[in-house]
Amino acid sequence: MSANATILGLSGLRLTAKETAFFREVNPWGFILFARNVDNPDQLRGLTASLRDCLGRAAPILIDQEGGRVQRMRAPHWREYLPALDQMARSRDPIRAHWLRNRLIAAELHDVGIDVNCAPLADLVEAQTHPVLRNRLSGEAAPIVIEAARVCANAFVAGGVLPVLKHIPGYGRASVDSHQSLPRVDAARDDLMTRDFAPFAALSDIRIGMTAHIVFSDIDPIAPATTSPVMMRVIRDDIGFGGLIMTDDIGMEALSGSPAERAAASIGAGCDIVLHCNGELAEMGPVADAAGPLTPAAQVRALHALAERRAPQPIDIAAAVHDLEALLG
């Protein structure tokens, strides 16, 4: 049976009986974890194992572990990392430091059974970039951002973790937080292609990508990229992204309609998988029904993505920590 075209959250530190029964019935493609699901390494290993046992397969388990503010696993059990933009500015060798940081993050994730991280970010810093995003980025120059994102993705794969490129096709010009309302970008299409979309084109071989809930008015003046067939064609044809496309969280207020309507609109536009994060069973059932099973094309893209999961390459953790600290002074 094909997996359902969803990645779903859960309510707490352990699977409840109702969640177990629901997930077995729905068969989501994967799961995503948040701070509410994280206590300590042993608990987290048990939770990731129970999620896979529930489905009877090695389902992908995602998290947002960027460092800085967006870090679900925190001290005292895991390292705290600077926001990416701060680390890039502070380091004597920003790209080397970026590799070390993300290789360490991958080691921490793999140790507890998490095999997909929602990073790197390839959005560009602009004068108007919203504070919710700004210091999570790597810089304002496309070549540096592309290099940093590539190094991040490679470090994850070396550590046994799959990267998720976000936020396709670019969130940097948005001055509004899409968690709260719908951002609109009025730049000309040619300018967007030349600047905003360029990093994503350069990184289009990454196997999983996440959409941006943003209206690009010169391309589609009505629908945000996640639910816009026009924008999805731009992502596939003009940007050239051929990997598995997941939505950003459909619970964000940038999208309109019920959760099920948002899920249906996303799949209808051309997204492969719907991300639903809040762990509320009452919402997840209608969302899963609206998303339906993975399409044949999505199944192929999902298989290609998961084929990149591999055992971590050896790493001397103590030496990597020492080198990172030395680069950061």
Side-chain angles (χ1 to χ4, degrees):
M1 182 177 89
S2 176
N4 187 258
T6 49
I7 296 166
L8 301 177
L10 57 148
S11 61
L13 299 175
R14 292 167 185 81
L15 269 176
T16 67
K18 287 184 178 180
E19 286 172 336
T20 299
F22 174 77
F23 292 143
R24 282 177 178 161
E25 178 183 359
V26 168
N27 191 27
W29 184 72
F31 301 98
I32 188 163
L33 303 182
F34 287 85
R36 65 178 182 270
N37 309 121
V38 174
D39 183 16
N40 62 70
D42 286 340
Q43 169 269 327
L44 204 42
R45 290 185 200 104
L47 178 59
T48 56
S50 68
L51 287 168
R52 292 184 171 115
D53 288 345
C54 170
L55 298 187
R57 58 181 170 86
I61 299 178
L62 293 75
I63 200 166
D64 291 288
Q65 190 75 354
E66 299 173 11
R69 184 178 67 260
V70 181
Q71 184 171 334
R72 316 306 185 193
M73 296 158 52
R74 309 204 76 108
H77 299 293
W78 297 279
R79 295 174 192 85
E80 297 281 342
Y81 298 92
L82 290 169
L85 193 62
D86 296 352
Q87 179 174 298
M88 293 289 287
R90 178 170 163 178
S91 174
R92 291 188 290 109
D93 184 343
I95 297 301
R96 173 63 179 166
H98 205 55
W99 190 93
L100 289 165
R101 160 216 191 88
N102 289 296
R103 183 62 184 84
L104 289 167
I105 289 173
E108 293 174 331
L109 298 182
H110 190 271
D111 176 63
V112 294
I114 296 169
D115 59 0
V116 185
N117 195 14
C118 296
L121 287 71
D123 315 278
L124 299 174
V125 174
E126 305 284 1
Q128 72 271 31
T129 302
H130 193 277
V132 76
L133 184 68
R134 173 177 285 274
N135 71 357
R136 297 162 56 193
L137 306 182
S138 298
E140 60 185 36
I144 293 295
V145 170
I146 292 166
E147 187 177 11
R150 177 67 69 190
V151 158
C152 174
N154 290 345
F156 288 161
V157 173
V161 173
L162 298 180
V164 176
L165 179 65
K166 64 185 190 186
H167 305 82
I168 300 175
Y171 189 5
R173 289 189 200 248
S175 57
V176 171
D177 179 2
S178 58
H179 293 85
Q180 306 298 329
S181 57
L182 177 60
R184 299 186 66 89
V185 170
D186 296 325
R189 179 176 184 147
D190 287 348
D191 292 342
L192 292 167
M193 287 298 305
T194 300
R195 178 162 170 78
D196 305 58
F197 301 172
F200 296 95
L203 299 160
S204 61
D205 59 307
I206 292 176
R207 292 293 193 178
I208 308 175
M210 177 188 288
T211 62
H213 299 330
I214 300 173
V215 168
F216 295 91
S217 59
D218 196 40
I219 303 173
D220 183 341
I222 298 172
T226 303
T227 58
S228 168
V230 176
M231 281 305 308
M232 293 304 298
R233 285 195 294 273
V234 169
I235 291 168
R236 291 294 192 197
D237 299 338
D238 297 342
I239 294 174
F241 188 81
L244 188 75
I245 295 181
M246 57 185 280
T247 72
D248 204 342
D249 180 16
I250 62 164
M252 295 163 67
E253 294 308 312
L255 302 183
S256 59
S258 69
E261 290 168 338
R262 298 173 184 188
S266 300
I267 296 295
C271 293
D272 294 313
I273 290 183
V274 170
L275 177 64
H276 183 276
C277 294
N278 67 20
E280 295 184 9
L281 280 173
E283 289 187 10
M284 287 193 284
V287 164
D289 288 342
L294 290 170
T295 66
Q299 290 181 52
V300 171
R301 288 189 279 263
L303 286 172
H304 286 166
L306 295 183
E308 293 203 337
R309 291 191 297 193
R310 61 199 64 177
Q313 297 173 11
I315 182 175
D316 184 330
I317 296 293
V321 170
H322 176 272
D323 290 351
L324 179 60
E325 290 176 348
L327 289 172
L328 298 178

